Each structure stands twice: as C-alpha cells, then as structure tokens.
C-alpha cells in the first residue's frame, strides 16, 4: 500500500508499507515510462515527504521495528533522507517522538506540517497519553497536547527546541448531571520571525522560540454549547 509520494522536478519518491517499508526513487525524465532507480528498506513508514534541499527529504511517519516485541514498540518518527545518489538513497537521521500512543495530525494532513526554511525550524502538532494515573485529577493531566518544534539540518539532523503546551486549554460542558471533557488537540501552527503560534479548536497561543515554556498570550475561542 502506498503511504507517501513526492515529485520534485524530474525525480519521484514513493513510500509503501508492509512492516518493513520500501522507499523507492524514480527517474521522471520520461513521464510515460518512469523507471525505478533506487530502493531502501527501513522499519516503519513515512506518510508525508517534504523537500528539505536539492538532495535531502524531510519526512514524518511511524516507526515500527522489523521484529516488534510488544505493541509499545512503535513511535512517531521524523527522518531525513539523502537522495544525492538516486540509485542509493540513505536514511541519514531519525528522531523518535513520544510513545506508542503518540499522534500528530501532520502524519495525515500536510497543512499541519510546518517547515520554516528561513530558520530551519519544523513545527508539528503533537498528542500523547500516559496511563500512569491514580486519581481523577491525575487522569486529566495525563494527556499531552502541544506543538513540538525542532531545528532541522540536512547534515546535523534534528535538535529539539521545545514544546508549546496547550494541555490546559481544555473545556468542560455540563448538562444536568452529565459532564463532557473536551481535550482539543493542536491542529495547525504559524511561525513568524521569532514567534511560534499553536492553534487548536479551543484557541490560539503564542510564545517566543527562545522559551516555548512561557506563553506570551492565549486567545480562547468561544465555547460552543449545544441547546437541547
């Protein structure tokens, strides 16, 4: 099954998946008959492929070991591929993010994948969940909803720059004796100069890239209340 495709000028890249994922390269100079040039087998798969430079690709997907020992072996994965030699593509850098419960909308929606080339920064929505709770209060503090930011360099790889958390931006709706807890995930992001904006269905939060742990401002969206 095809999971990711990217065309860059006269080159084509395709990722399929069946536990060990082949990464294929194609020569598109003759579009009706594009020959497969190279192939690389790696664990897991990439679901979105982004051009990083003339000879490098930046991808997001899921890491699944070739021989997993349990269901928690997988993780969200960022990777860099060197395609300078189309016949011999190489996966040169990998960054695993989160646990087996981790998820990012950027894995299936390219608009959530935000690469700021001017500053070599990548921002992705990130969600995760921990089952290590003992009380109801700990239950609601066990989920993670933030924007993860990474410095990306084709040669040096990945450098985590931090996370802009929106875990506290959740809402509670109560109707008679029933309550619904809404934990909206980060959906999109904007990076402008030194500022990073995380956008969820509940609001927008901004911080300086120098310290993502200290938000500068948060704008909450009006809560929708269903009328019965």
């Amino acid at each position: 099954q095809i999971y990711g495709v990217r065309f860059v000028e006269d080159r084509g890249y395709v990722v399929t998946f069946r536990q060990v994922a082949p990464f294929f390269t194609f020569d598109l100079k003759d579009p009706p008959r594009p020959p497969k040039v190279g192939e690389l087998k790696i664990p897991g798969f990439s679901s979105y492929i982004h051009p990083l430079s003339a000879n490098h690709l930046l991808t997001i997907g899921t890491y699944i070991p070739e021989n997993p020992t349990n269901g928690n072996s997988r993780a969200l994965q960022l990777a860099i591929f060197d395609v300078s030699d189309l016949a011999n593509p190489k996966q040169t850098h990998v960054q695993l993010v989160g646990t087996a419960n981790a998820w990012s909308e950027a894995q299936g929606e390219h608009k959530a994948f935000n690469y700021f080339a001017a500053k070599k920064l990548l921002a992705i929505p990130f969600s995760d969940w921990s089952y290590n709770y003992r009380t109801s209060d700990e239950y609601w503090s066990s989920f993670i909803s933030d924007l993860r930011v990474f410095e990306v360099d084709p040669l040096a790889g990945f450098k985590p720059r931090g996370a802009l958390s929106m875990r506290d931006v959740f809402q509670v709706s109560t109707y008679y004796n029933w309550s619904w807890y809404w934990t909206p995930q980060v959906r999109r992001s904007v990076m402008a100069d030194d500022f990073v904006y995380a956008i969820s269905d509940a609001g927008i939060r901004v911080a300086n890239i120098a310290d993502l742990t200290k938000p500068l401002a948060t704008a909450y969206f009006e809560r929708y209340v269903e009328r019965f």
Side-chain angles (χ1 to χ4, degrees):
Q1 184 176 352
I2 293 177
Y3 271 66
V5 175
R6 169 63 71 173
F7 299 141
V8 183
E9 297 182 353
D10 58 0
R11 293 181 169 192
Y13 308 99
V14 177
V15 174
T16 63
F17 176 63
R18 192 174 179 178
Q19 203 65 44
V20 177
F23 175 88
F24 298 104
T25 61
F26 290 85
D27 186 340
L28 306 180
K29 293 186 179 67
D30 185 8
R33 294 173 292 276
K36 184 185 75 172
V37 179
E39 178 179 339
L40 174 66
K41 290 187 177 181
I42 49 177
F45 61 88
S46 298
S47 52
Y48 176 67
I49 306 170
H50 187 84
L52 186 58
S53 69
N55 293 310
H56 295 87
L57 302 172
L58 172 61
T59 70
I60 185 171
T62 302
Y63 169 76
I64 303 175
E66 186 173 355
N67 298 302
T69 56
N70 56 63
N72 294 324
S73 299
R74 67 171 60 205
L76 189 152
Q77 175 179 272
L78 302 173
I80 295 175
F81 289 84
D82 184 337
V83 291
S84 53
D85 182 356
L86 202 61
N88 296 287
K90 300 176 182 178
Q91 186 184 71
T92 53
H93 299 281
V94 171
Q95 177 75 49
L96 299 183
V97 189
T99 70
N101 303 307
W103 179 81
S104 173
E105 188 163 349
Q107 291 173 279
E109 170 56 77
H110 71 277
K111 294 179 181 178
F113 188 96
N114 186 3
Y115 180 64
F116 190 17
K119 290 187 177 289
K120 294 184 176 181
L121 294 176
L122 170 66
I124 58 169
F126 179 77
S127 299
D128 206 344
W129 184 267
S130 171
Y131 289 97
N132 297 321
Y133 60 86
R134 292 165 294 181
T135 67
S136 59
D137 290 337
E138 289 180 349
Y139 178 88
W140 290 110
S141 65
S142 296
F143 74 88
I144 297 171
S145 178
D146 58 30
L147 185 73
R148 295 291 172 97
V149 181
F150 300 86
E151 189 173 324
V152 182
D153 183 89
L155 300 180
F158 299 95
K159 178 182 178 181
R161 294 293 300 269
L164 177 53
S165 176
M166 294 193 77
R167 185 175 66 180
D168 60 301
V169 187
F170 69 89
Q171 302 184 29
V172 181
S173 295
T174 302
Y175 179 72
Y176 289 109
N177 294 324
W178 294 89
S179 295
W180 292 267
Y181 291 84
W182 183 36
T183 57
Q185 299 161 327
V186 176
R187 305 289 306 279
R188 300 289 187 272
S189 65
V190 174
M191 289 190 283
D193 294 327
D194 294 326
F195 299 98
V196 179
Y197 299 80
I199 305 168
S200 79
D201 290 331
I204 300 175
R205 174 167 286 172
V206 60
N208 192 294
I209 186 63
D211 192 349
L212 296 174
T213 63
K214 297 179 179 179
L216 301 174
T218 303
Y220 295 89
F221 299 145
E222 182 179 355
R223 181 165 60 91
Y224 171 75
V225 179
E226 187 172 358
R227 304 298 181 182
F228 292 89

